[in-house]
Amino acid sequence: MKAAFEVNGESVEVDVEPRLSLADCLRDVLGLTGTHLGCEHGVCGACTVIVDGQAVRSCLTLAVQADGERITTVEGLSPEAGLSPLQAAFRKHHALQCGFCTPGMVTTAHALLSEEPDADADRVREVLSGNICRCTGYVPIVEAVLEARAAYRKMEGES
Amino acid sequence: MKFPAFDYAAPDSLDEAVALLAAHGEDAMVLAGGQSLMPILAFRMAAPSLLVDLKKVPALDRIDIGAEGVTLGARSRWCDIERHAGLAAAHPLLAEATRHIAHYQIRNRGTVGGSLALADPAAELPGVAVACDALLTLAGPGGERHVAAAEFFLGPMTTAIAPDEILTAVHFPAWPENRRWAFQEFARRKGDFALAGVALHYDLDAQGRARDMRIGVIGASDRPHRLHAAEATMNGSAVDAATIAAAAAAASTEVSPMEDHHAPADYRRALVATLVERALQEAAS
């Protein structure tokens, strides 16, 4: 079955089985392996991608459901050179160890701060509660997201 | 954890969607946000031959607020309710309960209709629906029919929806000004399913006595239901420490909690009493 959507600004058309998840489509058909799959049933958040501006679990979305949508993966959040403010904040605060959950953390945080650049620590914790990290204990991740707020406020001011 | 093989259709109209269900019977399942259905498929607890996606069916994502109450289209998502400007004033209990539902990413896709049609005994919206006498609209080959929430939930993951019917909307009767209400649940982590929860509301008469007490409970039986004995202890009485204690005691006797790895049945029974107590205190304050 055919589905056409946009991934990180590029139009793509895929011909896939209806049962293929968006996560598997991104990884195995489109070669975008930045999106990670942990639990594959909507609990761990590692596979979070941004669909039309909103963070969603790509393991609970079918590729054919994405027809007509605009998708951003963690690859789409990386500048050509250097680090984005969010990535820089993750590095500065040591907000990852093994890195498996990081793509989901970054996409989730980006979706949140794009909509709510003034999110407070409670809101950040609430939103990140949908993403499981087994290394960091979350504290450095929350600190990184809070620090990145300034850059998103500035972007909002400019747009 | 790959999904079983199925065909997929995204019809443009409700009539087409119903016709597909009528043609495929129990082999077809309805897909909206997929936040419950897809895990069920991943675990192979269901293996439909066809998924009928409602994404293109018009008007199912409407939220209407009027003099008769609040109507949520089945495809309204938790994030739509959260962001709706008028809903918290039009139905504060519904708005508050929704804040407890699921995690951020799930809230961006999970739908009202999906929660009601799945009928998880611990889900919040079904509990609010029974506490508020909500009316559910089902569309089938013969047209629409309406089912009261009290008759809709038949057991765990079991509802009155026929295989060829689609849940299209849920209606909550108008919310009088000055109504007292509270929503209380206990979950080990915000966004998880609750171990138990209580949604209640009542009105006060001129003498300050409770009238029309409605207490819905979730996570404490095989389906969401009202706590009629607890309600009866409160109706016609002042809401004070003595009546609250009596209602809490009554509540714990009229639930039949399941036992699982999250909590023993006795714990859940005690939890219901505590949540009824807290909710009545909150509503009265």
Side-chain angles (χ1 to χ4, degrees):
Chain A
M1 180 170 236
K2 286 201 168 91
F5 44 87
E6 197 185 294
V7 182
N8 301 329
E10 254 177 68
S11 297
V12 297
E13 192 178 311
V14 295
D15 192 358
V16 297
E17 274 190 84
R19 66 166 170 163
L20 191 73
S21 72
L22 177 59
D24 282 337
C25 181
L26 290 168
R27 288 178 56 85
D28 302 341
V29 179
L30 299 171
L32 295 168
T33 52
T35 299
H36 287 177
L37 273 164
C39 71
E40 292 189 88
H41 66 284
V43 171
C44 78
C47 69
T48 302
V49 300
I50 301 168
V51 177
D52 280 344
Q54 293 186 309
V56 307
R57 302 215 195 282
S58 61
C59 75
L60 297 187
T61 306
L62 298 172
V64 292
Q65 278 180 292
D67 188 59
E69 307 275 17
R70 212 161 30 90
I71 293 154
T72 304
T73 67
V74 69
E75 288 93 343
L77 299 180
S78 293
E80 288 279 316
L83 299 176
S84 72
L86 183 59
Q87 289 171 326
F90 265 65
R91 184 164 92 166
K92 176 180 165 187
H93 289 277
H94 213 72
L96 60 146
Q97 287 181 31
C98 84
F100 193 86
C101 71
T102 312
M105 292 288 180
V106 170
T107 47
T108 301
H110 177 78
L112 171 69
L113 294 182
S114 299
E115 278 195 341
E116 302 174 36
D118 294 315
D120 63 12
D122 282 349
R123 176 66 175 151
V124 170
R125 284 177 184 280
E126 182 188 333
V127 167
L128 293 182
S129 71
N131 294 60
I132 291 175
C133 171
R134 296 290 78 156
C135 303
T136 63
Y138 303 97
V139 173
I141 300 175
V142 173
E143 285 171 352
V145 175
L146 291 175
E147 170 152 330
R149 291 180 303 182
Y152 284 85
R153 284 191 202 116
K154 193 156 165 268
M155 282 183 252
E156 196 181 50
E158 284 162 3
S159 64
Chain B
M1 303 281 276
K2 306 304 177 194
F3 305 126
F6 46 73
D7 289 327
Y8 170 91
D12 294 312
S13 72
L14 190 60
D15 287 348
E16 280 175 75
V18 168
L20 280 169
L21 291 185
H24 289 82
E26 293 189 0
D27 288 336
M29 291 182 88
V30 174
L31 173 65
Q35 301 302 284
S36 303
L37 180 59
M38 300 323 289
I40 286 171
L41 298 185
F43 284 117
R44 308 285 170 118
M45 288 156 66
S49 61
L50 174 69
L51 288 190
V52 179
D53 191 348
L54 300 182
K55 68 182 270 190
K56 293 181 186 165
V57 176
L60 288 186
D61 56 354
R62 282 182 61 163
I63 296 178
D64 292 312
I65 298 176
E68 287 85 47
V70 173
T71 304
L72 304 175
R75 221 179 56 228
S76 337
R77 300 167 303 170
W78 310 122
C79 64
D80 298 327
I81 295 175
E82 189 178 18
R83 290 181 193 137
H84 195 282
L87 202 65
H91 207 296
L93 176 57
L94 175 62
E96 173 61 24
T98 302
R99 290 188 193 103
H100 294 266
I101 300 173
H103 297 282
Y104 184 62
Q105 297 95 335
I106 304 279
R107 296 172 62 83
N108 285 334
R109 283 187 79 81
T111 66
V112 161
S115 172
L116 295 167
L118 181 74
D120 189 298
E124 286 85 354
L125 190 67
V128 176
V130 296
C132 295
D133 284 335
L135 200 62
L136 294 90
T137 305
L138 305 177
E144 276 189 356
R145 69 182 176 114
H146 301 283
V147 180
E151 275 98 52
F152 180 79
F153 301 103
L154 304 179
M157 318 294 181
T158 310
T159 71
I161 305 177
D164 57 0
E165 285 181 320
I166 295 173
L167 174 64
T168 57
V170 56
H171 173 76
F172 293 85
W175 186 265
E177 236 179 298
N178 302 324
R179 174 164 276 181
R180 302 287 182 138
W181 64 276
F183 182 85
Q184 286 277 342
E185 73 168 38
F186 181 75
R188 297 186 64 179
R189 182 175 62 151
K190 186 159 191 289
D192 287 354
F193 274 115
L195 291 180
V198 164
L200 65 81
H201 65 80
Y202 60 92
D203 300 308
L204 285 178
D205 65 17
Q207 285 74 42
R209 291 172 303 212
R211 297 287 175 196
D212 207 18
M213 176 72 69
R214 301 295 172 105
I215 309 177
V217 67
I218 58 171
S221 299
D222 69 345
R223 71 195 84 174
H225 62 91
R226 279 172 56 190
L227 296 173
H228 293 285
E231 292 170 1
T233 66
M234 300 299 300
N235 277 325
S237 304
V239 181
D240 57 27
T243 54
I244 289 175
S252 66
T253 65
E254 56 180 327
V255 292
S256 37
M258 40 280 174
E259 182 130 6
D260 61 18
H261 61 281
H262 295 297
D266 285 347
Y267 177 85
R268 280 196 158 95
R269 197 173 290 113
L271 186 58
V272 167
T274 301
L275 292 172
V276 166
E277 186 182 335
R278 286 182 189 168
L280 285 168
Q281 286 167 347
E282 183 191 332
S285 64

